[in-house]
Structure formats: structure tokens, C-alpha cells
Amino acid sequence: MYEFKEEFLTGIELIDREHRRLFEIANELYELKCEEFIPDKYDNIRHILEELRDYTLTHFEHEEEYMKSIGYKRMFTQLTQHNALRETINNWDLDAIDENQDETIEEMLGLITDWLVNHILSQDKLIGK
């Protein structure tokens, strides 16, 4: 379902590689959503959430370092958006995840999809220009 396509390329090798990995994580979550034979997905959701949290933090660090190194003029907008996503991911309630697993997966997919499509295409692509 989630496929990294040429339109998502920024022209910056490190950022593009990390974006590809974020697409892979989104795909893992989508595959979990479609898995009918796992009645309790809590551990899987938690694992993906932790991976998403850790990888996103690492990616943002790298992206922010790169923007700083080139004196990127739109860095404040990027930092604001990065911080908002960090806060959302860090504040996910693990108890609510256990009680509402399917809803949580849908919510996570919505957030990731919005981020991958809108943020990369409208913000990150500008870094490479």
C-alpha cells in the first residue's frame, strides 16, 4: 500500500533514504491493520509506535542538521511541524491503544499518511531546491 515513489525524492540522499524507511514503517502498520488472524495486536502496535518514534526522532535530527548546514530559510516552519509531530507521537496513550486497537491503527495511519504525503511534498522537497 505505501510505496516510496520518485515524486517524493528531495534530491538529498540521506533524507530520501530515511523517508523510504518511514514509508516501510507505514507499510508495516498497514499490513498489521489488514491482518485478520491476530486477535490482540497491542504488542505489534506498540512495537511499530516505538520504532516510528525512534526513527522519526533520528530522521528529524538529521534533517534539521542538514537544513542548518545549508542555512535553510524555511527552517522555523520545519521545526514547528517536526515538534508538533514529536509531541503527538510521544503523547500516545498506551492504555487507550490496548482498548481501541483498530481505532489506534487507523489514527496512526492517518497521521503517517498525512505526514508522508503533505509534509514531504510541500515542505521537504523545498529543502533540495
Side-chain angles (χ1 to χ4, degrees), residues 46-70:
R46 187 173 178 154
H47 171 76
I48 292 171
L49 178 59
E50 288 171 358
E51 185 176 6
L52 178 65
R53 179 184 299 136
D54 294 346
Y55 200 81
T56 299
L57 294 177
T58 300
H59 168 64
F60 286 168
E61 245 178 58
H62 295 159
E63 199 171 85
E64 291 165 8
E65 285 174 15
Y66 180 80
M67 288 186 290
K68 192 174 185 179
S69 76
I70 63 167

Side-chain angles (χ1 to χ4, degrees), residues 1-10 14-32 48 51-52 55-56 59 63 108-109 111-122 124-125:
M1 164 89 185
Y2 289 84
E3 181 182 348
F4 187 87
K5 297 180 180 181
E6 189 173 321
E7 67 194 83
F8 293 102
L9 291 171
T10 64
L14 174 64
I15 292 173
D16 290 336
R17 186 173 354 113
E18 290 180 351
H19 284 166
R20 277 188 181 91
R21 179 63 191 131
L22 290 170
F23 271 81
E24 290 169 3
I25 294 169
N27 203 51
E28 290 171 25
L29 186 59
Y30 179 76
E31 288 174 5
L32 179 62
I48 292 171
E51 185 176 6
L52 178 65
Y55 200 81
T56 299
H59 168 64
E63 199 171 85
M108 289 173 69
L109 281 172
L111 178 72
I112 293 169
T113 301
D114 181 59
W115 186 266
L116 292 176
V117 174
N118 294 326
H119 184 80
I120 291 173
L121 291 178
S122 70
D124 289 348
K125 284 193 67 106

